[in-house]
Amino acid sequence: MTQSLPSIGFLGLGAMGQRMAARLLSAGHRVTVWNRSAGATANLAALGALTAPDPASAAREADIVIAMVRDDDASRQVWLASGTGAMAAMRPGAIAVECSTLSVDAARHLADEAAKAGLGWLDAPVAGSRPQAEAGQLVFMVGGAETVLSEARATLGAMGSAVHHAGGAGAGSAVKLAVNALLAVQVTALAELLGLLARNGVDLATGVSIVGETPVASPALRAAAASMLAGAFAPLFPVELVEKDLNYADRAAGGLAPLTQAAGAVMRSTMEAGWANAHITAAAQLYRANAQDPTVDR
């Protein structure tokens, strides 16, 4: 006899959540969705999702509840808010999965609350942006018990190409913050160095092509360079979210992360320059005065 798929409650339908929930629907899951702005549920309802007025209602009948929201505060509200929070409504033995990028402390606090409620817990943030979410190619970094992950692995697999167990509660969040900090350090360094090249008369496309063929250039760095040269800053990873994650990473490092702190300062300067909602690569705009290159004009 074929075993039925777990029923899903999905909380948070931003750019990523919309696409992740759609993947679960296409895989055959029964999905109940909630979003703070109710209008965001319309597209998923048209695909067959049920809609709920609050997180508790979305979670009540679900085997697995997944959240994908902005930050620690939003996560705390959807899981723990009095009267509407998902955890208090979930049935014992159900699994809470937090896919948002949170601070390590917040992830561990929620894990403790889940344990008190008799729930399974996974912090399972993702690597990838909108195209990967739409294609089901996200990479999950998971913290929590292996036994709980074994129950949820197939569900995560419907949204991603890889599911990595990082360790106990909070480990997934720690690894995700490390990934985002490493990306931000590379991108901010590249933005600065494009200014250096242009200021010294090097054609930017030529200089970037040469650097891109050397062992120091990662795939992420090459993609960032292409974005900067094209002046294409569609918000796949918006500056204001990068800055939030760098703050969390610095906190997780106990303040002993000077490169992370420096990248955070660049992100804040980029926000102050009016690029808060642009892609992380908009940091290149800070060096326009040095570059004097039309491809990085606003």
Side-chain angles (χ1 to χ4, degrees):
M1 186 172 73
T2 303
Q3 187 174 6
S4 61
L5 295 171
S7 59
I8 308 296
F10 205 103
L11 313 176
L13 301 175
M16 295 291 287
Q18 282 264 355
R19 290 162 171 81
M20 293 165 71
R23 293 294 305 185
L24 292 170
L25 285 165
S26 67
H29 289 272
R30 179 180 182 271
V31 181
T32 302
V33 298
W34 169 86
N35 191 66
R36 184 175 59 180
S37 301
T41 64
N43 289 342
L44 291 165
L47 296 176
L50 304 174
T51 62
D54 53 50
S57 299
R60 193 162 284 119
E61 301 299 322
D63 300 308
I64 299 175
V65 179
I66 300 170
M68 187 60 156
V69 294
R70 184 188 186 281
D71 56 19
D72 287 2
D73 290 340
S75 175
R76 190 179 303 110
Q77 282 295 311
V78 299
W79 290 116
L80 301 178
S82 177
T84 61
M87 278 195 191
M90 293 170 67
R91 54 193 182 211
I95 298 173
V97 181
E98 179 54 271
C99 290
S100 315
T101 302
L102 304 185
S103 68
V104 177
D105 287 344
R108 288 177 176 160
H109 174 68
L110 289 171
D112 290 343
E113 293 299 314
K116 292 176 188 176
L119 306 172
W121 166 264
L122 300 171
D123 48 282
V126 300
S129 190
R130 301 176 193 189
Q132 291 77 29
E134 191 159 335
Q137 295 294 309
L138 296 170
V139 175
F140 286 87
M141 294 153 273
V142 185
E146 178 64 55
T147 53
V148 177
L149 176 56
S150 67
E151 295 184 49
R153 185 178 286 275
T155 299
L156 299 180
M159 299 178 284
S161 59
V163 179
H164 298 290
H165 188 214
S173 295
V175 172
K176 174 61 187 294
L177 293 175
V179 168
N180 283 5
L182 182 59
L183 173 64
V185 167
Q186 292 181 81
V187 169
T188 54
L190 177 63
E192 176 181 310
L193 295 174
L194 288 184
L196 176 156
L197 292 174
R199 189 169 187 268
N200 287 278
V202 178
D203 175 75
L204 290 184
T206 299
V208 165
S209 177
I210 294 169
V211 172
E213 293 184 16
T214 69
V216 304
S218 68
L221 197 70
R222 288 191 286 270
S227 169
M228 292 175 181
L229 289 178
F233 306 127
L236 298 177
F237 190 9
V239 170
E240 56 101 10
L241 289 183
V242 180
E243 194 271 342
K244 178 265 294 184
D245 292 350
L246 290 170
N247 282 337
Y248 290 167
D250 183 40
R251 191 190 312 170
L256 300 175
L259 293 177
T260 297
Q261 292 167 9
V266 172
M267 290 298 113
R268 285 187 288 278
S269 295
T270 306
M271 292 167 65
E272 291 166 2
W275 296 89
N277 297 316
H279 190 48
I280 182 175
T281 51
Q285 298 299 91
L286 298 179
Y287 304 95
R288 285 171 58 194
N290 276 358
Q292 297 191 2
D293 186 282
T295 63
V296 293
D297 205 315
R298 184 165 182 172

